[in-house]
């Protein structure tokens, strides 16, 4: 039975797993769970993942969620996955674990908060909380600074590596979500971070052509959201 | 050169690493980094961990932070660590990894939000956010329900295990931080969760006597805080009567 990947290409961790599977020639079935239409809350999906989040994998009898765990599992279970994705050296591996752990409360928290307040709430005609928006941007900018000055200081990829690991896939997918912001905000936030921008490009190149192909849905949504939000604010004025 | 563990026993993940090292007989030196006195921002400590967080370890020339990464590293790098802490079986190991990942944005986020904003910030002259405390409690309760109904549904320990793993130590140390709340709030929040309460006892027993010893510091802080709160409430009552 083929591996099943339950995901939504609008979800950052979902994209990391799809890119990883395609890069490593892993045979899988992509099952779309539409999160903008709340499909993750259906009883059918809750039976697979009671946390109602994407992504989740089902590999035979084995169900697993949390994208970092999924990436580690796939790296270990499937033969032919190149070792740079999840290094076997204890020290290299520990560093990859540490940036994956750091990610949750830093880059992810900041990015999700900024997107929620600057894109998703306005898009749904809901008021955003200025204090929450300010704190989210503060967290995001702090995380980007730490990426720029620490995680990327010794190499093109995270933790000083010369080839990408599962951490690069996961964290770059997170940074890509900021494409949903309007162009001015996106550039204002990201442009000071030259190493981060280069790293995004390096990760794209290392995972071509799949990176761009899987991000197609996000680029399309970004265009649509920008037009919708611009139309809404023109109506308000 | 012995392993160095930079820790503060007021910090949940610090306690997890200390208990783990002690239960596995790992030779280490504990170096206290007093977080309430901002020692994590000193240049000396920033050289060890530029994130200014605890815990961090130094093993020879290798520096590492993030407690889950530390626990996994110690399991693999030090001989004599029993395999149930981080099983070699890929399925069991992945499940343990998944609950460790879930922890960050759920149990930890909820606990920290609540305890920081209701107890630690006000008592240490730091700005607290009542909205964040409310959201913290909501997330904490949601996380406790998930622990009760999902993570502990198949066994005495997390993810259906009959023996504890690094995930049990990490998450139980987090819940212990709720001991800093008033007795009333602590019982109100935790008492509905019978499996969770039993699991805490099972984890304590499995890591005795080190669990209690490492938590003494937290209980001393709890006593101090509750005494202060009792004095304040007496003063408040007197004031309102006058």
């Amino acid at each position: 039975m083929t591996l099943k990947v339950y995901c939504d290409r609008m979800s950052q961790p979902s994209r990391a797993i799809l890119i990883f599977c395609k890069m490593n020639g892993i045979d899988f079935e992509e099952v779309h769970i539409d999160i903008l239409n709340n499909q993750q809350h259906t009883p059918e999906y809750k039976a697979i993942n009671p946390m109602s989040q994407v992504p989740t994998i089902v590999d035979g009898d084995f169900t697993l969620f949390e994208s970092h765990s999924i990436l580690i599992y796939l790296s270990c279970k499937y033969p032919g996955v190149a070792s740079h994705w999840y290094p076997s050296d204890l020290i290299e591996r520990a560093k990859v674990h540490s940036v994956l752990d750091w990610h949750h409360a830093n880059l992810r928290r900041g990015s999700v908060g900024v997107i929620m307040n600057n894109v998703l709430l306005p898009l749904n005609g809901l008021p955003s909380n200025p204090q929450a928006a300010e704190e989210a941007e503060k967290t995001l900018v702090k995380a980007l600074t730490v990426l720029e000055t620490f995680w990327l200081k010794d190499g093109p990829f995270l933790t000083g590596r010369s080839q990408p690991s599962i951490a690069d896939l996961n964290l770059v997918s997170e940074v890509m979500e900021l494409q949903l912001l309007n162009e001015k905000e996106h550039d204002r936030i990201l442009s000071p971070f030259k190493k981060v921008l280069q790293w995004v490009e390096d990760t794209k190149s290392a995972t071509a052509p799949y990176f761009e192909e899987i991000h197609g849905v996000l680029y399309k949504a970004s265009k649509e959201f920008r037009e919708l939000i611009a139309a809404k604010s023109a109506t308000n004025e | 050169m012995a392993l160095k563990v930079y820790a503060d026993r007021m910090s949940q993940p610090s306690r997890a690493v200390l208990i783990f090292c002690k239960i596995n007989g790992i030779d280490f030196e504990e170096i206290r980094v007093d977080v309430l006195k901002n020692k994590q921002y000193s240049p000396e400590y920033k050289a060890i961990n530029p994130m200014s967080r605890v815990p961090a370890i130094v093993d020879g020339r290798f520096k590492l932070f993030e407690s889950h990464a530390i626990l996994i590293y110690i399991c693999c790098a030090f001989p004599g660590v029993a395999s149930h802490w981080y099983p070699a079986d890929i399925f069991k190991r992945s499940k343990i990894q998944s609950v460790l990942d879930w922890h960050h944005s759920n149990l930890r986020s909820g606990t920290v939000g609540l305890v920081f904003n209701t107890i630690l910030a006000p008592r240490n002259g730091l700005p607290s956010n009542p909205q964040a405390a409310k959201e913290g409690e909501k997330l904490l309760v949601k996380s406790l329900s998930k622990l009760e109904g999902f993570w502990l549904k198949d066994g005495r320990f997390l993810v259906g295990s009959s023996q504890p793993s690094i995930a049990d130590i990490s998450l139980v140390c987090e819940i212990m931080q709720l001991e800093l709340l008033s007795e009333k709030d602590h019982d109100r929040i935790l008492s509905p969760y019978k499996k969770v309460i039993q699991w805490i006892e099972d984890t304590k027993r499995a890591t005795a006597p080190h669990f209690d010893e490492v938590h003494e510091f937290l209980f001393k802080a709890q006593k101090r805080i509750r005494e202060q709160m009792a004095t304040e409430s007496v003063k408040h009552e007197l004031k309102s009567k006058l």
Side-chain angles (χ1 to χ4, degrees):
Chain A
M1 208 195 311
T2 319
L3 175 72
K4 283 191 166 132
V5 179
Y6 294 82
C7 59
D8 186 327
R9 292 182 181 207
M10 285 298 284
S11 134
Q12 314 82 306
S14 291
R15 293 193 299 268
I17 293 186
L18 292 172
I19 296 168
F20 182 80
C21 287
K22 291 188 180 237
M23 274 305 289
N24 287 290
I26 292 170
D27 193 22
F28 74 100
E29 181 193 342
E30 179 179 350
V31 181
H32 180 216
I33 301 294
D34 190 344
I35 54 178
L36 287 171
N37 283 313
N38 287 320
Q39 207 183 337
Q40 70 278 27
H41 296 294
T42 62
E44 297 77 24
Y45 187 68
K46 277 180 117 79
I48 296 173
N49 181 352
M51 307 298 164
S52 290
Q53 289 184 306
V54 286
T56 306
I57 60 164
V58 176
D59 193 10
D61 281 338
F62 182 61
T63 302
L64 187 67
F65 55 84
E66 286 295 339
S67 63
H68 301 174
S69 313
I70 292 172
L71 288 165
I72 292 171
Y73 170 80
L74 294 173
S75 297
C76 298
K77 173 96 181 331
Y78 284 80
V81 172
S83 65
H84 62 83
W85 291 110
Y86 188 57
S88 51
D89 173 75
L90 264 190
I91 287 180
E92 295 303 304
R93 184 174 280 198
K95 289 183 193 170
V96 169
H97 284 155
S98 72
V99 69
L100 282 169
D101 285 340
W102 171 87
H103 176 41
H104 290 278
N106 293 279
L107 179 64
R108 179 155 180 81
R109 179 172 296 170
S111 169
V112 164
V114 165
I115 307 278
M116 178 60 73
N117 283 287
N118 296 29
V119 182
L120 296 177
L121 290 173
L123 206 62
N124 288 290
L126 294 164
S128 72
N129 175 336
Q131 199 196 343
E134 204 189 304
E135 276 174 34
E137 186 169 325
K138 211 169 142 193
T139 304
L140 173 60
V141 168
K142 188 174 171 199
L144 290 169
T145 307
V146 173
L147 279 164
E148 185 82 3
T149 58
F150 180 75
W151 294 117
L152 292 167
K153 70 178 168 69
D154 295 326
F157 297 103
L158 294 169
T159 71
R161 302 182 60 68
S162 55
Q163 286 184 285
S165 71
I166 54 178
D168 298 281
L169 270 183
N170 205 287
L171 275 72
V172 168
S173 293
E174 197 73 58
V175 173
M176 289 304 289
E177 199 77 1
L178 300 172
Q179 294 279 327
L180 292 177
L181 294 170
N182 73 48
E183 216 168 331
K184 196 168 139 204
E185 259 180 333
H186 177 272
D187 292 346
R188 175 179 63 78
I189 292 174
L190 272 175
S191 59
F193 302 102
K194 310 293 180 203
K195 280 199 169 150
V196 169
L197 290 168
Q198 184 59 53
W199 162 64
V200 171
E201 290 309 307
D202 290 342
T203 304
K204 270 189 205 180
S205 310
T207 53
Y210 309 110
F211 190 101
E212 291 289 278
E213 184 243 306
I214 283 160
H215 277 84
V217 166
L218 185 78
Y219 296 139
K220 194 157 162 260
S222 168
K223 191 164 176 285
E224 271 167 30
F225 289 4
R226 286 173 180 180
E227 283 164 8
L228 272 168
I229 290 176
K232 278 190 190 227
S233 54
T235 320
N236 291 339
E237 276 161 24
Chain B
M1 208 194 311
L3 179 71
K4 286 189 168 141
V5 178
Y6 293 81
D8 183 331
R9 290 181 180 208
M10 283 297 281
S11 135
Q12 313 83 303
S14 289
R15 293 195 298 269
V17 173
L18 293 172
I19 293 165
F20 186 73
C21 287
K22 288 175 183 260
I23 196 83
N24 286 290
I26 287 163
D27 189 23
F28 74 100
E29 183 192 346
E30 180 181 350
I31 297 167
R32 184 178 180 207
V33 182
D34 192 338
V35 161
L36 287 171
K37 292 205 169 108
N38 287 322
K39 296 283 188 212
Q40 68 278 27
Y41 298 112
S42 70
E44 298 77 26
Y45 189 67
K46 276 182 118 80
I48 308 276
N49 182 1
M51 306 297 156
S52 290
R53 297 277 179 100
V54 287
I57 60 166
V58 177
D59 189 15
R61 284 188 302 180
F62 178 51
K63 296 175 200 163
L64 187 65
F65 55 85
E66 286 294 339
S67 65
H68 299 171
I70 291 173
L71 290 166
I72 292 171
Y73 172 77
I74 295 174
C75 284
C76 300
F78 288 78
V81 174
S83 64
H84 62 83
W85 294 111
Y86 190 58
D89 172 74
I90 195 185
F91 301 107
K92 288 203 176 122
R93 184 176 279 199
S94 299
K95 295 268 183 184
I96 286 166
Q97 187 68 55
S98 74
V99 70
L100 284 169
D101 285 334
W102 171 87
H103 176 41
H104 288 275
S105 310
N106 292 278
L107 181 66
R108 179 157 178 79
S109 189
T111 304
V112 166
L114 177 63
V115 175
F116 182 79
N117 286 291
T118 53
I119 302 286
L120 294 175
R123 304 217 154 257
N124 289 284
L126 296 165
S128 70
N129 181 338
Q131 181 64 23
K134 213 168 138 196
E135 282 166 16
E137 184 169 332
K138 203 168 153 202
L139 183 55
L140 169 62
V141 166
K142 188 179 171 198
S143 305
L144 290 169
S145 303
K146 290 291 188 212
L147 279 165
E148 185 82 3
F150 179 74
W151 296 114
L152 291 168
K153 71 178 169 67
D154 294 326
R156 283 169 67 218
F157 297 102
L158 292 169
V159 300
S161 299
S162 55
Q163 287 184 288
S165 71
I166 53 178
D168 299 281
I169 298 189
S170 175
L171 275 71
V172 169
C173 283
E174 194 71 55
I175 296 185
M176 291 304 288
Q177 201 74 349
L178 300 173
E179 293 285 347
L180 293 178
L181 297 172
S182 71
E183 202 168 346
K184 192 168 143 213
D185 283 340
H186 176 272
D187 292 345
R188 174 180 60 79
I189 291 171
L190 268 181
S191 59
Y193 304 102
K194 310 295 182 206
K195 278 195 174 157
V196 169
I197 291 170
Q198 183 59 54
W199 162 63
I200 294 170
E201 291 308 308
D202 289 340
T203 304
K204 272 190 202 179
R205 219 171 297 127
T207 53
H210 310 291
F211 189 100
D212 286 336
E213 188 257 302
V214 169
H215 278 86
E216 268 169 27
F217 197 80
L218 184 77
F219 282 108
K220 280 201 181 118
Q222 178 208 59
K223 192 163 175 274
R224 233 177 14 248
I225 289 167
R226 287 178 181 180
E227 281 166 4
Q228 275 170 5
M229 279 165 104
T231 313
E232 279 159 21
S233 112
V234 167
K235 279 189 183 160
H236 184 77
E237 260 190 75
L238 281 174
K239 263 194 177 155
S240 59
K241 281 181 180 160
L242 290 171

